[in-house]
Amino acid sequence: MAYREIYEGWKADPEGFWMEQARAIDWIAAPSRAFFDQGPAGEWFADGMVNTCWNAVDRHVQAGRGDQAAIIHDSPITGRKTSITYADLQGRVAQLAGALAARGISQGDRVIIYMPMIPEALVVMLACARLGAIHSVVFGGFAAHELAVRIDDAQPKAIIAASCGLEPGRIVEYKPLLDRAIDQAGHKPDFTVIYQRPEHQAALTPGRDFEWQAFQQGAIPADCVPVPGNHPAYVLYTSGTTGQPKGVVRATGGHLVALMWTMKNVYGIEAGDVFWAASDVGWVVGHSYICYAPLIAGATTIVFEGKPVGTPDAGTFWRVIQDHGVKSFFTAPTAIRAVKREDPKGELIGAYDLSSLQALFLAGERADPDTVQWAEDHLNVPVIDHWWQTETGWAIAANPLGIELLPVKKGSPTHPMPGYDVQILDEAGHPVPAGTLGAIAVKLPLPPGTLPTLWNAEGRFRKSYLDHFPGFYETGDAGYVDEDGYLYIMARTDDVINVAGHRLSTGAMEEVLAGHPAVAECAVIGVADSLKGQSPLGFLCLKKGVDTPDAQVVKEVVARVRDEIGPVAAFKTAVVVDRLPKTRSGKILRATMAKIADGDDFKMPATIDDPVVLDEIATALKSVGYPGAT
Ligand code: COA
Ligand code: AMP
């Protein structure tokens, strides 16, 4: 069947469509129907009983795939490569789950995971899933304060961490960050489990911290616990407009059904194939496409601990594809830009046998046409942009390779996937004609696998996503649909920025800058960056009478952001200005500032309080080398 027929088929009978897809999942008690009109935006498969770990691990062993590789760890940063079969994975996960259960972890308890790209991160996620415990993975590039905020929100009974992560040229010691976070947080976990890596052994606090091996010694392997379809599988925090991250909830049944559907239909992957998403378990891509989806589908997933360049060179991606026979490869456009910058002619590509590769998938930020073209020219496979968010957990729009490859239009993630009725709305919530820019919204209900709410924050869920356009989910992205129904994602409608495929809150950075004793007022914007897509830039107005030199204040706020949010914020520059441009009602004109920095045309905002401030901003930007600021 062609894409159009499948999409229209879903639209005509969503209930039938999703019940049919649910057949690909092993249910302990099958759901009586797909959609349940309950909760703030509806729920899926709520009365089914199911277990995620069974579907991702045990059922494949039972079906005879026990000897197949489930996880391949390829770590150019340590020089190690290991492979874990489905049977081995089942043993490891059941053992850890047994040890966690013996320490009191049961269905509904939260477990925070703070681990780098090692297979043990997936083992912990799956062990939680086995028990019906709700995991929350925190990305290793976040610092202690961000971890503390998540501890207080999720209130975990346990935290499972590694002793360290490895970045090129440095060891990131996780344990001191974890200790600081636990000190800072009001909530204290009952215990922690620390996986000691050979690169660095962390000092443990007796009575609270357990060493990974010792913790599991003698534990009785645990069975899979049946949970209802609407039971939260995990909470993943993502950036909103303020420093308080949003805890995106993923419900179990819809997650299983939707991810299973995507493996075949979007990524063209079946059981036994090798799939690789070069992201991090701390992001949604890592949850859906490093851990869950490939395993649910019985494929082999690759856990890659390295960078696109420098580990050891810009040929790493191609080496991994060759060595493991990767069929579909998923990364962020920024990673391809990094490779292209080092190897513009793609010379390293020729050194590897990429005959296993059927397609390259890009997401996480806008795939600029130059990058797509470069990849197409050098890889000779379809390059597929697809658009999604932490909130949705899977692609809202894609080119569904497994159904049919639709003609590619560079700069567009193609068409909506079944389940998503995407509409472009004006400020008043009316659909706009083709070619007109507007807010991108999805008609409710959202499909299975998307967020049913925010963790302990239903009011914030409604306010952030449902209230603005009644009857719709507000994506926070702006864009348009062309005459052929192709979707184009152009910008965020809020103050979220996207740096190297990482979603960051300018509001969170502003809170850190405002905490500096010399800063009276501040703003952070995202400016165009040829490698990372965007990079953050701060503006500081200093308090009267401050005699610290500007350069010193800038240095201190840069250090503060790194220390409080983490190196991933990539906050490297700020400028001191006398005033910030504002509307008459006092709103800072961040979007206009970003346009000045990027050298884009902009309309003088009608509500601006004092237009002269924009000239001052342009001068300040010029002084720090922003060429656009003329
Ligand atoms: N733990 C600790 N620190 C981390 C980290 C982690 N897991 N991940 C990144 N960092 C650090 C980096 O070391 C860097 O530190 P530095 O300021 O000391 O150099 C900082 O955070 C910024 O990292 P990043 O923005 O990733 O820049 P980079 O220069 O290290 O690498 C790219 C640039 C493009 C190669 C890299 O960002 C990349 O591969 N991006 C792909 C992103 C991706 O897959 N996103 C997932 C969505 S699909
Ligand atoms: P995250 O929740 O971290 O996955 O970030 C989601 C946001 O990244 C989206 O709301 C978009 O702003 C952006 N994004 C992700 N994928 C794409 C894409 N293919 N094209 C354009 N923007 C994208």
Side-chain angles (χ1 to χ4, degrees), residues 136-154:
S136 189
V137 184
V138 179
F139 176 61
F142 283 125
H145 174 72
E146 290 292 315
L147 184 53
V149 167
R150 286 156 176 78
I151 293 172
D152 274 335
D153 199 74

Side-chain angles (χ1 to χ4, degrees), residues 75-81:
S75 170
I77 212 151
T78 61
R80 287 196 288 273
K81 279 194 222 175

Side-chain angles (χ1 to χ4, degrees), residues 238 284 362-367 385-391 413 475 477 489 492 498 503:
T238 189
V284 69
L362 299 174
E365 55 168 334
R366 183 164 181 273
D385 177 17
H386 59 325
W387 168 60
W388 50 297
Q389 313 181 305
T390 305
E391 288 84 345
T475 64
D477 284 315
I489 317 299
R492 290 285 304 186
N498 197 313
R503 175 166 159 184

Side-chain angles (χ1 to χ4, degrees), residues 362-429:
L362 299 174
E365 55 168 334
R366 183 164 181 273
D368 54 288
D370 283 356
T371 302
V372 175
Q373 186 69 54
W374 184 88
E376 271 181 3
D377 290 348
H378 292 94
L379 296 174
N380 296 312
V381 292
V383 177
I384 298 180
D385 177 17
H386 59 325
W387 168 60
W388 50 297
Q389 313 181 305
T390 305
E391 288 84 345
T392 65
W394 60 284
I396 308 170
N399 198 333
L401 178 75
I403 300 174
E404 64 170 324
L405 186 71
L406 299 165
V408 171
K409 289 200 189 188
K410 291 184 186 66
S412 165
T414 318
H415 288 306
M417 290 297 91
Y420 294 99
D421 179 353
V422 177
Q423 302 201 11
I424 313 293
L425 305 178
D426 65 16
E427 210 14 65

Side-chain angles (χ1 to χ4, degrees), residues 27-28 48-52 107 129 131-133 225-231 252:
W27 298 89
I28 297 150
M49 294 299 286
V50 69
N51 182 278
T52 298
Q107 183 177 336
L131 299 175
V225 173
V227 300
N230 61 353
H231 177 68
T252 305

Side-chain angles (χ1 to χ4, degrees), residues 139-141 167 170 278-279 285 308 334 500-502 532 562 567-568 572:
F139 176 61
E167 284 296 291
R170 74 190 156 102
S279 177
V285 175
T334 189
H502 307 136
K532 297 191 175 189
R562 191 176 175 92
V568 66
K572 307 263 185 215

